[in-house]
Amino acid sequence: MHSSCPEHERPGATPRRRRLLLKAALAGALVPLGLNVWAGKPEIWTYPLPNDGDRSRYAFEFALLRAALEATATPVKPVQLSWSALTMPQSRARLEVAAGQLSVVHSFATPEVDALLQRVPFPLALGLHSQRVLLTRHELLPQLAVLRHREELKAFRFGVLNSWSDRQMLQERGFQVSITESFVGLFKMLALGRSDVIMCSVLHAAQVSAMLEDFPELSWEPRLLLEIQSEPWFYTARSPEGQARAHRLLRGLKALQRKGQLAQLHKQYFSDAMSLSQHRRRIDLN
């Protein structure tokens, strides 16, 4: 028979365990995700595994999500966070969240995404994602080195994923784009001369650099920093359950900010990115 006793009052609990659980309850202690020692049933959260299966691509977002959930966990409401069983592109992940099959996804804001999902109104990258560097072929470096104005970039073809919000932005501003559905295909397309540059957030430059061993023709342009208004957000479903998840995430993110943990996470994951953006010639694409 189900007991209605609080965990710290249940028969069989040692006096020391009762004291510890009572102290944790009164203090609102943080609950490690997936630790099933509390009275409450864990709330299950799932996060989309990237299409290529490389979890490091979403390492910051996953760590931030985990920390935000931990910041709002209580003895009667623990959380269990895991990756989705299947890999998927962001476009499918958004649909899975809308259907209630996944709990949350990070995405850039577009009218379509905001109509489909509930945005958690807290910017994740604090403006760093708006700073972009260019990957190109060695032969194009001299041409890029003399650029000073936005209009001059229209002579170059930008390689983009079809699902990227950058694709629409670039097209609306009159830039040339070469579209692919594959992340690795971006680099193949650039190496083969079917595009001229890939615009990459300073946040992801280190991850991209790790892939360049297979593309010796490519290198980073060292002088330019493109700025474009772009910020990732967490999104949940628009259902009542999704609304509750969004509210919980917002509380957790604000708690991390107050306690300085958000700044610590940014420093942990993005210290190299912050250095990369310094001492470059800026071109505003907004």
Side-chain angles (χ1 to χ4, degrees), residues 21 36 73 80 84 92 122 165 177-178 185 220 223 231:
L21 290 173
N36 192 20
Q80 182 175 321
S84 61
R92 178 185 167 188
F122 193 100
S165 58
V177 297
S178 299
W220 294 105
R223 298 177 179 87
E231 185 71 46

Side-chain angles (χ1 to χ4, degrees), residues 133-142 144 187 190-191 196-198 208-209 212 215-222 280:
V133 290
L134 292 177
L135 184 69
T136 188
R137 293 187 302 280
H138 302 314
E139 65 199 61
L140 295 179
L141 287 172
L144 292 167
F187 309 104
L190 179 58
D196 300 316
V197 293
I198 298 172
V208 170
S209 292
L212 297 185
F215 301 98
E217 311 92 335
L218 308 183
S219 62
W220 294 105
E221 198 289 322
R280 286 175 172 261

Side-chain angles (χ1 to χ4, degrees), residues 203-254:
L203 299 184
H204 300 140
Q207 296 173 16
V208 170
S209 292
M211 304 179 63
L212 297 185
E213 291 182 3
D214 297 330
F215 301 98
E217 311 92 335
L218 308 183
S219 62
W220 294 105
E221 198 289 322
R223 298 177 179 87
L224 295 175
L225 184 74
L226 308 187
E227 294 184 319
I228 176 171
Q229 189 61 42
S230 179
E231 185 71 46
W233 311 81
F234 282 136
Y235 282 89
T236 62
R238 286 194 167 274
S239 64
E241 181 183 9
Q243 297 279 353
R245 290 184 186 275
H247 180 68
R248 180 172 187 168
L249 273 181
L250 182 59
R251 287 192 294 112
L253 291 167
K254 288 182 176 179

